[in-house]
Amino acid sequence: MPPSVPSLPRRVAGTLRTSLFAQVTCALVLGIVVGKLWPDTATALQPLGDGFTRLIKTVISPLVFCVVVVGIAKAGDLKAFGRIGVKALIWFEIASTAALVIGLVAANVVGPGKGMNVDPSSLDAAAVEETTGGGHLPTTTEFVLNALPQSFVGAFAENELLQVLILACLVGAALLHLGHTRVPKVLPAIEQAQDIIFAVVGFIMRLAPLAVFGAMAHLVGNYGLGVIRTYAKLIVLCYVAAALFIVLLAVALKLVTGLSLWKFLRYIREEMLLALGTASTESVMPRVMQKLRRAGARDDAVGLVLPTGYSFNLDGASLYLSIGTLFIAQAVGVDLNLGQQITVVLVLMLTSKGMAGIPGSAFLALSATASSLGAIPAGAVALLLGVDRIMDSMRVVTNLLGNCVAVFAVSRWEGALDADRAKKVLAGEDTSTPDDGEKDVGAEKALGAEKGAGAEKGLGAETGTEAQAPGIPAQKPNDLKEPKDLKELKEPAPEAG
């Protein structure tokens, strides 16, 4: 008798119960419907999205710290870690500059602000001040100083990723310097803490559909869909330019690593949809780190490149800023010449690096660019207040994909990518994790001791200094029995009584 096929309602219910992607998709649609039909009620649902983001942010700093420390310690080479950092910065600068140039070219060709003839004096400049909270972008000196931690605990408490990265590098370097024989319990403890944090992330992710529902309902209820008609030309241009940039990312990824960006998109579709719903790449950072490691990128590359990219590689923001600057200029009737547009690129190359984590940072960067040109009234930035939130989806997708491509590219450049494993994982042929009895890319090197040093000192498996073959889990002390113990195991023990 052939097995019975579940009915359609049961199949749908099963998919909703097991698939995070399906749950988030339904939450996204429901959020739009609620926001459109009951806007007053929908605006009160924002805490659902904000609460989820707050929960995720609590684990980002400790997770980055653990991944970076473990990555440095397992790689066994601080110089290699430094090379990864330098190569990442080079990639970031090239990618950000390409995004800025694409945005300028697109805005010149399409002219989204031409014909608007806006009077700058009619704009409410105070609204920009309210959005930015009176803040300002840091200078280069301030940016560098802010990246240096004042307190070990403070860096984690304030969720300053660059400060946490520096602390992690110092701790990883100290582990290499001391060697595993002097601090044998530190690295295993950090690895165990990392496993606990990933488990916590799994618990929090169960709330993702609620977060997407609340955030999307608030967006539609607060801003409505009418703003899309008002700024249709600008919105379409930004999204088309972002799509073009993503195509260039796909080509770059294929040329450098041989991997398919479209398969990678399918691989992280749950995280991408969640980032779209909450308008935050931070909400998916822990899960993306885990998936990049699973896809063959080495721990130290993932731990350094991805968090650093959140501050230095905002490709979507760069694209939006360049288009937004020309849109404002065109709307108020200012014709920027080639020299002024080159100035726009140079200014945004600097200001976009200090944007992460600052409220209203896009408006601050636009205001700084307008002031540096001297031709665009600073108050004209208020033109983008109504459409800025609609652009979040474009910025989130482009920023996230740009940083993930950077991880793969820099990993390949440094020899820290298992390309065969990556292709299998992206094709859905390998769903195991590096922790399933399989070593990360590049066998672990001994920490502060040469091969066999632990055995010479009689430390054995307790210190873990003996080299293990790749793919073979280390033996525990209880596994090392004398022959007589093995003989005792084979002989049945006498029964009691």
Side-chain angles (χ1 to χ4, degrees):
M1 183 177 180
S4 60
V5 179
S7 62
L8 181 60
R10 285 192 175 185
R11 292 202 301 271
V12 172
T15 301
L16 285 175
R17 187 172 60 254
T18 59
S19 172
L20 179 62
F21 179 78
Q23 294 169 7
V24 172
T25 302
C26 289
L28 194 70
V29 174
L30 286 174
I32 294 173
V33 172
V34 171
K36 179 65 176 176
L37 298 180
W38 302 284
D40 294 335
T41 303
T43 54
L45 297 175
Q46 185 179 10
L48 292 176
D50 291 347
F52 176 82
T53 304
R54 287 168 70 96
L55 285 174
I56 285 291
K57 284 184 176 181
T58 60
V59 300
I60 287 178
S61 291
L63 178 60
V64 168
F65 178 82
C66 292
V67 171
V68 172
V69 171
V70 171
I72 294 176
K74 285 188 173 182
D77 186 1
L78 198 60
K79 291 182 180 179
F81 197 73
R83 289 196 305 269
I84 290 174
V86 171
K87 291 174 181 178
L89 291 177
I90 293 172
W91 180 276
F92 293 160
E93 199 55 55
I94 293 173
S96 297
T97 303
L100 289 170
V101 172
I102 288 174
L104 284 181
V105 172
N108 276 296
V109 171
V110 177
K114 289 182 178 178
M116 294 185 69
N117 301 318
V118 175
D119 181 6
S121 61
S122 64
L123 298 172
D124 184 11
V128 178
E129 185 76 10
E130 181 181 351
T131 302
T132 59
H136 69 282
L137 291 176
T139 63
T140 303
T141 304
E142 290 174 339
F143 181 75
V144 173
L145 287 177
N146 290 338
L148 301 176
Q150 288 182 311
S151 154
F152 200 102
V153 176
F156 290 89
E158 297 173 9
N159 229 16
E160 294 287 348
L161 281 187
L162 291 181
Q163 295 183 13
V164 171
L165 275 174
I166 291 176
L167 289 172
C169 292
L170 292 174
V171 173
L175 279 176
L176 289 178
H177 175 71
L178 293 173
H180 194 45
T181 56
R182 295 178 63 181
V183 283
K185 297 182 180 179
V186 174
L187 184 58
I190 294 176
E191 288 183 300
Q192 291 167 12
Q194 177 179 277
D195 292 339
I196 292 173
I197 294 170
F198 275 126
V200 172
V201 171
F203 296 150
I204 297 174
M205 288 299 294
R206 296 180 182 180
L207 302 175
L210 281 177
V212 171
F213 170 73
M216 189 55 59
H218 168 74
L219 170 64
V220 176
N222 196 36
Y223 296 94
L225 300 177
V227 69
I228 297 178
R229 292 191 295 269
T230 305
Y231 290 91
K233 195 174 183 180
L234 175 63
I235 293 171
V236 171
L237 174 62
C238 284
Y239 278 83
V240 169
L244 175 61
F245 181 77
I246 290 173
V247 170
L248 293 179
L249 283 178
V251 173
L253 181 65
K254 191 70 175 180
L255 292 176
V256 176
T257 67
L259 302 178
S260 168
L261 184 62
W262 317 121
K263 290 183 179 179
F264 179 73
L265 266 172
R266 186 172 67 242
Y267 176 58
I268 62 163
R269 61 185 182 275
E270 296 171 351
E271 291 74 23
M272 187 64 69
L273 198 59
L274 175 58
L276 282 171
T278 58
S280 170
T281 53
E282 287 187 337
S283 64
V284 298
M285 184 178 176
R287 288 262 299 194
V288 171
M289 290 181 71
Q290 192 175 26
K291 286 201 167 183
L292 287 170
R293 292 168 65 236
R294 185 183 301 162
R298 206 167 65 196
D299 280 7
D300 51 348
V302 174
L304 180 62
V305 178
L306 189 65
T308 307
Y310 273 59
S311 295
F312 288 92
N313 192 40
L314 303 175
D315 296 330
S318 299
L319 196 71
Y320 169 65
L321 289 174
S322 57
I323 293 176
T325 302
L326 260 68
F327 168 78
I328 294 169
Q330 294 165 357
V332 298
V334 175
D335 187 18
L336 299 179
N337 57 40
L338 180 60
Q340 289 173 315
Q341 294 193 28
I342 292 175
T343 303
V344 168
V345 173
L346 295 176
V347 172
L348 290 177
M349 282 173 61
L350 296 175
T351 55
S352 62
K353 299 299 182 289
M355 288 174 52
I358 300 175
S361 56
F363 296 105
L364 291 171
L366 287 169
S367 298
T369 306
S371 299
S372 66
L373 292 173
I376 305 176
V381 176
L383 275 172
L384 292 173
L385 283 172
V387 75
D388 182 71
R389 185 62 179 82
I390 305 297
M391 298 298 185
D392 276 343
S393 298
M394 179 274 292
R395 291 194 293 251
V396 163
V397 170
T398 312
N399 287 345
L400 184 57
L401 286 180
N403 286 324
C404 290
V405 169
V407 171
F408 281 125
V410 174
S411 298
R412 182 70 172 186
W413 191 1
E414 181 57 27
L417 175 67
D418 187 341
D420 292 335
R421 179 184 177 86
K423 290 177 181 178
K424 288 181 180 179
V425 170
L426 298 188
E429 299 173 3
D430 187 350
T431 58
S432 63
T433 67
D435 298 324
D436 296 333
E438 188 174 354
K439 295 291 182 185
D440 291 338
V441 184
E444 295 181 22
K445 299 182 180 179
L447 301 177
E450 294 183 356
K451 181 179 178 181
E456 294 176 6
K457 295 182 180 181
L459 296 172
E462 290 182 0
T463 61
T465 53
E466 291 185 357
Q468 298 290 333
I472 301 177
Q475 289 181 306
K476 298 178 181 179
N478 292 337
D479 296 333
L480 302 178
K481 300 288 186 180
E482 296 293 334
K484 62 180 181 180
D485 295 330
L486 293 175
K487 184 177 179 181
E488 291 173 359
L489 288 174
K490 293 178 183 178
E491 297 177 359
E495 295 182 359

